[in-house]
Amino acid sequence: MSEKSSPIKYFLSGGFGGVCTVLAGHPMDTIKVRLQTMPLPQAGEAALYAGTVDCFKKTVQKEGFKGLYKGMSAPLTGVAPIFAISFFGFGLGKKLIKSEDDQVLTKSELFAAGAFSGIFTTSIMAPGERIKCLLQIQQGGSGPQKYSGMLDCARQLYAEGGIRSIYKGSIATILRDVPASGMYFMTYEWVKEVLVPEDASAKLKMLATVVAGGCAGIANWLVGMPADVLKSRLQTAPEGTYPRGMRDVFKQLMEREGPTALYKGVAPVMIRAFPANAACFVGFELAIKFLDWAAPNL
């Protein structure tokens, strides 16, 4: 990443990178949420989905390929500001940590700047995730569906429980995003540093961006996956299912399914993580180069 670019350029470029992320990764995100939230089978019954491939096949058979993009309006609407704020937070975090403009940050300082960015995004991320998950778990078919779309879902949530219902799962979102964002940005900077020599060609730098972005996405989800599972279950459960919030979700999950359930849906997450986040950082780097050229004083 450009060390000379301002947080404002990080904000604008991060928004463009976020749009690239959603377009590349939403289908596998839908599979992830459906695997995480499928009901436990009764004795003698088969699970609703046998795994990632089975969930993919059943979704396409019942709903067509458009079923894989169900709920995309919520993250696509929110993702530009979310990623913009995330990258802005990272850029600002680096500025706050540096005592001199040319100071090279350590890995722990990069992690801290990335974790700082995770705090910024919750105000938009939490309601967007709540709406996205509720839309994603709706199964296609001939019967009526509870929500007709993003706005209808938000309207019904507000009618049921006010703004508190829309922001349900905010603490879980923070617990996921703060450490995961730290790992995300630290991994990207570290991998790119390892891969790119000082005299690297433009082609090699772009290839390094793809690899570093993909690795950052995988590292992000290895750290954030357990909290994401708890968040998905909390946000999609009927009101009153978990009176004490995440503590009840965690307790029930451990009792019924064991610790491996904290990584339920990990296969589609990892399949999605590399290309989606590679697309994000390619979009970011291209946008920031354009802004450095078009608006050097911004």
Coordinates of all heavy atoms in Angstrom, one line a residue, residues 14 53 126-127 129 163 167 175 197-198 202 204 237 273:
G14 N -10.8 2.2 -0.9 CA -11.4 1.0 -0.1 C -12.8 0.8 -0.5 O -13.2 -0.4 -0.6
V53 N -20.6 -28.6 -1.4 CA -21.0 -29.0 -2.8 C -22.5 -29.3 -2.8 O -23.2 -28.8 -3.7 CB -20.2 -30.2 -3.3 CG1 -20.7 -30.6 -4.7 CG2 -18.7 -29.8 -3.4
A126 N -23.0 -4.2 11.2 CA -24.0 -5.0 12.0 C -25.4 -5.1 11.3 O -25.9 -6.2 11.1 CB -24.0 -4.5 13.4
P127 N -26.0 -3.9 11.0 CA -27.4 -4.1 10.4 C -27.3 -4.7 9.0 O -28.2 -5.4 8.6 CB -27.9 -2.6 10.4 CG -26.7 -1.8 10.5 CD -25.7 -2.5 11.3
E129 N -25.2 -7.0 8.0 CA -25.0 -8.4 8.2 C -26.3 -9.1 8.6 O -26.7 -10.2 8.2 CB -24.0 -8.7 9.2 CG -22.6 -8.4 8.7 CD -22.0 -9.6 7.9 OE1 -21.9 -10.7 8.5 OE2 -21.6 -9.4 6.8
I163 N -35.0 -0.1 16.4 CA -33.6 0.0 16.0 C -32.7 -1.1 16.6 O -31.7 -1.6 16.1 CB -33.0 1.4 16.3 CG1 -31.7 1.6 15.4 CG2 -32.7 1.6 17.7 CD1 -32.0 1.8 13.9
Y167 N -30.0 -3.7 14.9 CA -28.6 -3.8 15.3 C -28.3 -5.1 16.1 O -27.2 -5.1 16.8 CB -28.2 -2.5 16.1 CG -27.7 -1.4 15.2 CD1 -28.6 -0.5 14.6 CD2 -26.4 -1.3 14.9 CE1 -28.2 0.5 13.7 CE2 -25.9 -0.3 14.0 CZ -26.9 0.6 13.5 OH -26.4 1.6 12.6
L175 N -16.6 -8.3 18.0 CA -15.7 -9.4 18.4 C -15.1 -10.1 17.2 O -14.0 -10.7 17.3 CB -16.4 -10.4 19.3 CG -16.8 -9.8 20.7 CD1 -17.6 -10.8 21.5 CD2 -15.5 -9.4 21.5
P197 N 10.4 -7.5 -4.4 CA 11.7 -6.8 -4.2 C 11.6 -5.3 -4.6 O 10.7 -4.9 -5.3 CB 12.6 -7.6 -5.1 CG 11.7 -8.2 -6.2 CD 10.4 -8.4 -5.5
E198 N 12.6 -4.6 -4.3 CA 12.6 -3.1 -4.6 C 12.5 -2.8 -6.1 O 12.0 -1.9 -6.5 CB 13.8 -2.5 -4.0 CG 13.8 -2.4 -2.5 CD 15.0 -1.6 -1.9 OE1 15.7 -1.0 -2.7 OE2 15.2 -1.6 -0.7
A202 N 6.0 -4.0 -12.8 CA 4.6 -3.8 -12.5 C 3.8 -5.1 -12.5 O 2.9 -5.2 -11.7 CB 4.1 -2.8 -13.6
L204 N 4.9 -8.1 -11.7 CA 5.2 -8.8 -10.5 C 4.4 -8.2 -9.3 O 3.9 -8.9 -8.4 CB 6.7 -8.9 -10.2 CG 7.1 -9.6 -8.9 CD1 6.6 -11.0 -8.9 CD2 8.6 -9.5 -8.8
A237 N -31.8 -16.0 14.5 CA -32.7 -16.7 15.4 C -34.0 -15.9 15.7 O -33.9 -14.6 15.8 CB -32.0 -17.0 16.7
A273 N -12.6 -16.7 0.2 CA -11.7 -15.7 0.7 C -10.6 -15.3 -0.2 O -10.3 -14.1 -0.3 CB -11.1 -16.3 2.0

